[in-house]
C-alpha cells in the first residue's frame, strides 16, 4: 500500500513539475518578447505551491514506506526535493532568474529520477525478503 501511494504521489509530482517547467518557459519567453504575461507568472507561482504540496505528500508516503519496508532512500530524496523547491520559491521571489532557471532544470531531472525509481521493477529477491 505504501509503495502504491509513493508511486501515485511521485507521478503527480512529476506532472506538476512538468507543468511548472511549461509555465516557467512561457513566462521567460514573455520577458523577452514583452509584455510580461501576468497570467503565466500567477500560474507559475500557484503551481509552485502545488509542487510543494506534492513533495510533502511524497514525504509522507516515503515515511510509510520506510515504516513498512525499511527503505529509506525515498524519504531522503523527498527531503532534498522539499529543500530545493523552497529554495526555488525564494530565488523566484527574489528575482534571481539565472539561478532559478538552472536549479529548476536540475529539479525537474531529480523529480524524473525520483518518479522513475519509485516505478522501477523490483527484483523477485527484494519482494521475497519484504514479504510483498
Amino acid at each position: 500500500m505504501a509503495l502504491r501511494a509513493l508511486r501515485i504521489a511521485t507521478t503527480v509530482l512529476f506532472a506538476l513539475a512538468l507543468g511548472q517547467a511549461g509555465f516557467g518557459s512561457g513566462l521567460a519567453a514573455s520577458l523577452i518578447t514583452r509584455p510580461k504575461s501576468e497570467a503565466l507568472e500567477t500560474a507559475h507561482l500557484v503551481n509552485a505551491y502545488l509542487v510543494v504540496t506534492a513533495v510533502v505528500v511524497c514525504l509522507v508516503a516515503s515515511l510509510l514506506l520506510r515504516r513498512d519496508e525499511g527503505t529509506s532512500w525515498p524519504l531522503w530524496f523527498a527531503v532534498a526535493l522539499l529543500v530545493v523547491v523552497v529554495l526555488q520559491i525564494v530565488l523566484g521571489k527574489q528575482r534571481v532568474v539565472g539561478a532559478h532557471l538552472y536549479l529548476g532544470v536540475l529539479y525537474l531531472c531529480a523529480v524524473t529520477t525520483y518518479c522513475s525509481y519509485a516505478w522501477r521493477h523490483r527484483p523477485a529477491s527484494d519482494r521475497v525478503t519484504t514479504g510483498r
Side-chain angles (χ1 to χ4, degrees), residues 15-66:
L16 289 169
L18 280 177
Q20 189 67 349
F23 293 138
S25 64
L27 177 60
S30 76
L31 292 173
I32 294 168
T33 59
R34 299 280 180 208
K36 179 178 86 172
S37 173
E38 298 296 328
L40 279 173
E41 185 173 32
T42 301
H44 190 60
L45 179 62
V46 168
N47 197 62
Y49 289 107
L50 292 175
V51 170
V52 170
T53 303
V55 172
V56 170
V57 171
C58 287
L59 207 144
V60 170
S62 298
L63 280 170
L64 295 174
L65 186 65
R66 183 170 185 200

Side-chain angles (χ1 to χ4, degrees), residues 40-127:
L40 279 173
E41 185 173 32
T42 301
H44 190 60
L45 179 62
V46 168
N47 197 62
Y49 289 107
L50 292 175
V51 170
V52 170
T53 303
V55 172
V56 170
V57 171
C58 287
L59 207 144
V60 170
S62 298
L63 280 170
L64 295 174
L65 186 65
R66 183 170 185 200
R67 184 194 67 195
D68 289 354
E69 296 185 14
T71 306
S72 63
W73 74 263
L75 175 63
W76 298 115
F77 211 122
V79 168
L81 289 176
L82 184 60
V83 168
V84 173
V85 78
V86 169
L87 176 60
Q88 273 292 83
I89 291 172
V90 170
L91 289 171
K93 286 188 178 281
Q94 296 299 316
R95 308 270 190 231
V96 184
V97 178
H100 181 74
L101 291 174
Y102 179 73
L103 195 58
V105 171
L106 295 179
Y107 191 77
L108 184 56
C109 293
V111 168
T112 303
T113 301
Y114 192 45
C115 185
S116 297
Y117 270 72
W119 281 97
R120 78 190 186 288
H121 176 72
R122 298 173 69 194
S125 62
D126 190 27
R127 288 190 298 264

